[in-house]
Amino acid sequence: MASNNNFLLHALVWLVLSTTAFSLSPKFYDKVCPQALPAINKIVRAAIHKERRMGASLLRLHFHDCFVNGCDGSLLLDSTSNFETEKNARGNLNSVRGFEVVDQIKAAVDKVCGGPVVSCADILAVAARDSVVALGGPTWKVRLGRRDSTTANRALADSVLPSAAMDLPALIKNFKDQGLNQRDLVALSGGHTIGLSQCGIFRDRIYNATNIDPEFAKERRLTCPRAGGNTNLAPFDPTPARFDTAYFQNLVKKRGLLTSDQALFNGGSTDKLVKTYSTNPEAFWDDFGKSMIKMGNINPLTGKQGQIRVNCRKANY
């Protein structure tokens, strides 16, 4: 009986170790390459100093990577004869950017680490956090240890990336499918407090929506005509280079730029949280960090899964 108990104990210990050995950890690179995170931060800060918009672009790369097959760096892969790049998906085409900065980070990190130690997926996660901090936002402990995929899925990206035209029920379902709740939806949407959007994405709202401040619509139409000017840019809120609560203040005033933005404050279940964030930066910052950690944990490749790419744009073959 004792031997059976010992066997069960050993089996339990093995099970625990096997299920936790490859869980993500903020300390993943502490011993193997302690210079990795400072190297990432240095490149990110230099890129944002050069162009403030880059912070929002790097944050968006992490978001759009995680929503398609998990946080595995698949968005960074260029097309091959075996698959089409996710960069061509509807939510990404002529929109996602910052790949050159990722390349710079990868080169710098591999140099200080003496080779490919840090995955491209982890680079995206850390760069997103460092971008938010560089623009005056909160910090959080990024869980690390992701590995990189060897393939991409453009069709899946087409179907799972949230659309700017979504209403609240569609947004809630879209995030729920990723294991994220309504609080995550509102908090992560607050990432729109930095960055810009293209006229072709918000044109329909500023000309046809009824739940919009007329003066705001008039102002946006000045740089977004009914025809043409699709790539003309407009900020999500009045302070696009500062991570603050102006985005939520805009929503309360019916000044959301995208249909999916204003959907968060339109008489629905998320109104109360939007109102809270609009007047309580601490609450928004705290929830944003927690939701970023949660999003960063969507289906990561760990252990012996995937690979550590040498070049973030192509798999190692």
Side-chain angles (χ1 to χ4, degrees), residues 219-261:
E219 183 184 337
R220 289 280 73 88
R221 289 171 189 166
L222 293 175
T223 55
C224 184
R226 282 188 181 274
N230 281 353
T231 58
N232 292 356
L233 298 170
F236 286 103
D237 72 21
T239 55
R242 189 163 71 238
F243 198 96
D244 54 23
T245 59
Y247 167 78
F248 295 109
Q249 293 163 14
N250 258 19
L251 299 188
V252 173
K253 298 172 186 173
K254 295 188 177 181
R255 287 174 159 246
L257 186 61
L258 309 182
T259 298
S260 57
D261 289 326

Side-chain angles (χ1 to χ4, degrees), residues 9 31 63 77 108 114 131 139 161 180 197 206 219 248 269 275 285:
L9 180 61
K31 290 184 179 179
F63 180 92
L77 290 170
S131 293
T139 189
L161 287 175
L180 301 171
S197 184
I206 63 172
E219 183 184 337
F248 295 109
S269 57
K275 202 77 179 283
W285 282 29

Side-chain angles (χ1 to χ4, degrees), residues 60 64 75 86-96 157 161:
R60 191 161 179 254
H64 281 222
L75 174 56
E86 291 169 18
K87 297 172 188 177
N88 290 343
R90 278 190 297 269
N92 292 331
L93 188 62
N94 298 321
S95 173
V96 286
L161 287 175

